[in-house]
C-alpha cells in the first residue's frame, strides 16, 4: 500500500479509538496530501475506528479547490463535482470507475487545509471535551487566550474560531476566509481550527503531529472546563505566549514531536 495512505489509515484508526472520545459512529474525517497534486480523503459512510485503505478516495486537489471558487451550487451539483474530482489511482481514469465510493461532504475544507504551506495531514473530529466548549455560550471567550506552554508549543499562538456554519461548501468558505485573516494576523498558518457547535480540525505536517495536536487540544479543553469551577481561566499574557512560541528550545521540542 502507498506509504502516505498507510500513515493516514493508522492516524484515522488512532483518532477513532473509542476510549479517546473524539468521534462515535460515522463522525469525523481525515485526509493526507500526495506529492502529485492529489490527496486521500475519507469516503462518506465509513467509520474511523475500523477504517482501512478501502475507506479512502483519491481526489484532485485542484478540482476540489475549484469547487470553492464557484457560487451558488446546489447540494446535488456539489455532490456531482466531488465525484468528478476523484482520481482512479490504477488507471488514471477520470472520474474513477467505482461510483459507489463518494468523498466526504467535508472534502473541500480538507482540500483548502492541505493547500496551506507545510500541511500534509488533516484530522477532523468531534471530541466530547472540546464540544462541551464549542457548544457553550462562552465559546469565544474560553478560547480567547492560552493557558500553558505545551499548548502553545503544540497548537500554536491561537486557534482559528469559526462561528457555526452549515457544513459543506458554506463552512469551507468561512474556514478559508478566517484562515486568511489568521495568516495576516500571525504571519503563519494555523494548526488548530475550532468549529462552533461542531468540533476540531488539526492541521499537521505529519500524521503524528495531527494526533499530538488533537490530544493537546482535548487536554486544553479539559483544563479550561476545570478553570470555570475555580473562577475562570487565567490566561498567559501576549508577551508570555510570544516568548514560548519563539523560543529556540521549544522549536527543538516541536521537531521531536513530529514537525
Ligand atoms: Zn464534522
Amino acid at each position: 500500500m502507498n506509504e502516505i495512505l498507510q500513515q493516514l489509515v493508522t492516524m484515522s484508526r488512532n483518532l477513532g479509538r473509542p476510549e479517546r472520545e473524539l468521534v462515535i459512529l460515522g463522525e469525523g474525517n481525515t485526509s493526507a496530501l500526495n506529492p502529485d497534486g492529489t490527496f486521500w480523503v475519507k469516503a462518506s459512510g465509513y467509520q474511523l475506528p475500523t477504517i482501512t485503505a478501502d475507506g479512502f478516495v483519491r481526489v484532485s486537489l485542484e478540482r476540489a479547490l475549484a469547487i470553492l471558487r464557484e457560487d451558488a451550487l446546489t447540494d446535488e451539483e456539489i455532490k456531482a463535482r466531488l465525484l468528478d474530482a476523484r482520481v482512479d489511482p490504477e488507471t488514471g481514469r477520470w472520474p474513477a470507475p467505482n461510483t459507489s465510493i463518494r468523498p466526504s461532504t467535508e472534502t473541500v475544507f480538507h482540500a483548502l487545509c492541505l493547500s496551506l504551506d507545510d500541511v500534509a495531514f488533516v484530522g477532523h473530529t468531534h471530541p466530547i471535551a472540546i464540544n462541551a466548549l464549542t457548544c457553550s455560550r462562552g465559546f469565544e471567550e474560553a478560547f480567547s487566550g492560552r493557558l500553558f506552554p505545551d499548548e502553545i508549543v503544540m497548537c500554536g499562538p491561537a486557534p482559528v474560531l469559526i462561528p457555526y456554519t452549515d457544513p459543506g461548501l458554506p463552512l469551507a468558505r468561512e474556514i478559508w476566509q478566517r484562515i486568511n485573516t489568521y495568516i495576516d494576523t500571525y504571519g503563519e498558518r494555523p494548526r488548530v481550527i475550532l468549529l462552533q457547535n461542531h468540533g476540531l480540525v488539526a492541521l499537521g505536517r505529519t500524521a503524528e503531529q495531527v494526533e499530538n495536536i488533537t490530544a493537546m487540544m482535548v487536554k486544553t479543553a479539559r483544563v479550561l472546563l476545570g478553570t470555570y469551577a475555580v473562577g475562570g481561566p487565567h490566561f498567559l499574557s501576549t508577551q508570555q505566549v510570544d516568548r514560548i512560541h519563539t523560543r529556540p528550545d521549544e522549536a527543538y521540542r516541536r521537531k521531536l514531536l513530529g514537525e
Side-chain angles (χ1 to χ4, degrees), residues 26-29 106 109 124-126 131 167 171 195 198-201:
E27 284 185 324
N29 36 64
E106 306 295 20
F109 90 59
H124 166 54
T125 52
H126 301 169
N131 276 349
L171 178 60
L195 312 175
H198 184 164
L200 165 73
V201 186

Side-chain angles (χ1 to χ4, degrees), residues 139-194:
F139 164 55
E140 274 192 43
E141 167 64 24
F143 287 104
S144 62
R146 307 282 74 74
L147 291 173
F148 52 91
D150 278 321
E151 178 196 2
I152 301 159
V153 170
M154 207 63 246
C155 303
V160 176
L161 305 184
I162 310 286
Y164 182 77
T165 309
D166 196 26
L169 209 45
L171 178 60
R173 287 216 179 91
E174 189 66 34
I175 290 175
W176 188 231
Q177 208 171 58
R178 288 183 187 253
I179 283 178
N180 283 319
T181 306
Y182 184 97
I183 292 171
D184 287 346
T185 308
Y186 293 96
E188 63 181 62
R189 56 103 179 151
R191 294 149 192 259
V192 171
I193 301 170
L194 292 169

Side-chain angles (χ1 to χ4, degrees), residues 2-249:
N2 171 302
E3 197 189 322
I4 291 168
L5 182 55
Q6 179 64 64
Q7 289 171 9
L8 178 61
V9 170
T10 304
M11 179 188 95
S12 303
R13 294 178 77 121
N14 285 343
L15 292 176
R17 272 163 40 202
E19 72 275 17
R20 298 182 69 178
E21 300 188 323
L22 305 175
V23 292
I24 62 163
L25 306 172
E27 284 185 324
N29 36 64
T30 51
S31 62
L33 186 67
N34 291 307
D36 64 354
T38 67
F39 65 102
W40 298 102
V41 65
K42 195 190 90 158
S44 278
Y46 287 80
Q47 302 196 356
L48 290 182
T50 52
I51 202 160
T52 62
D54 296 339
F56 292 93
V57 53
R58 195 159 152 241
V59 172
S60 152
L61 189 64
E62 199 192 309
R63 285 184 172 225
L65 289 173
I67 302 173
L68 194 67
R69 291 191 291 269
E70 291 209 32
D71 283 335
L73 289 180
T74 64
D75 287 351
E76 285 311 308
E77 284 168 335
I78 294 166
K79 255 187 207 166
R81 298 293 294 270
L82 283 173
L83 281 175
D84 281 349
R86 295 175 310 161
V87 181
D88 173 30
E90 263 89 46
T91 64
R93 268 198 288 155
W94 221 317
N98 177 4
T99 50
S100 65
I101 187 157
R102 218 158 36 79
S104 157
T105 48
E106 306 295 20
T107 295
V108 180
F109 90 59
H110 280 273
L112 68 87
C113 290
L114 292 169
S115 74
L116 296 172
D117 258 5
D118 225 23
V119 176
F121 287 85
V122 175
H124 166 54
T125 52
H126 301 169
I128 292 177
I130 287 176
N131 276 349
L133 290 158
T134 72
C135 297
S136 294
R137 290 182 190 181
F139 164 55
E140 274 192 43
E141 167 64 24
F143 287 104
S144 62
R146 307 282 74 74
L147 291 173
F148 52 91
D150 278 321
E151 178 196 2
I152 301 159
V153 170
M154 207 63 246
C155 303
V160 176
L161 305 184
I162 310 286
Y164 182 77
T165 309
D166 196 26
L169 209 45
L171 178 60
R173 287 216 179 91
E174 189 66 34
I175 290 175
W176 188 231
Q177 208 171 58
R178 288 183 187 253
I179 283 178
N180 283 319
T181 306
Y182 184 97
I183 292 171
D184 287 346
T185 308
Y186 293 96
E188 63 181 62
R189 56 103 179 151
R191 294 149 192 259
V192 171
I193 301 170
L194 292 169
L195 312 175
Q196 187 174 36
N197 293 82
H198 184 164
L200 165 73
V201 186
L203 293 72
R205 198 175 64 75
T206 62
E208 187 189 7
Q209 204 190 356
V210 167
E211 285 191 47
N212 287 341
I213 290 170
T214 303
M216 191 61 80
M217 275 317 288
V218 168
K219 172 167 178 165
T220 300
R222 291 209 168 110
V223 171
L224 259 173
L225 287 165
T227 67
Y228 284 106
V230 199
H234 171 259
F235 291 130
L236 297 172
S237 70
T238 311
Q239 289 81 352
Q240 287 166 331
V241 172
D242 284 350
R243 168 83 182 124
I244 295 293
H245 188 53
T246 54
R247 270 168 69 140
D249 55 336

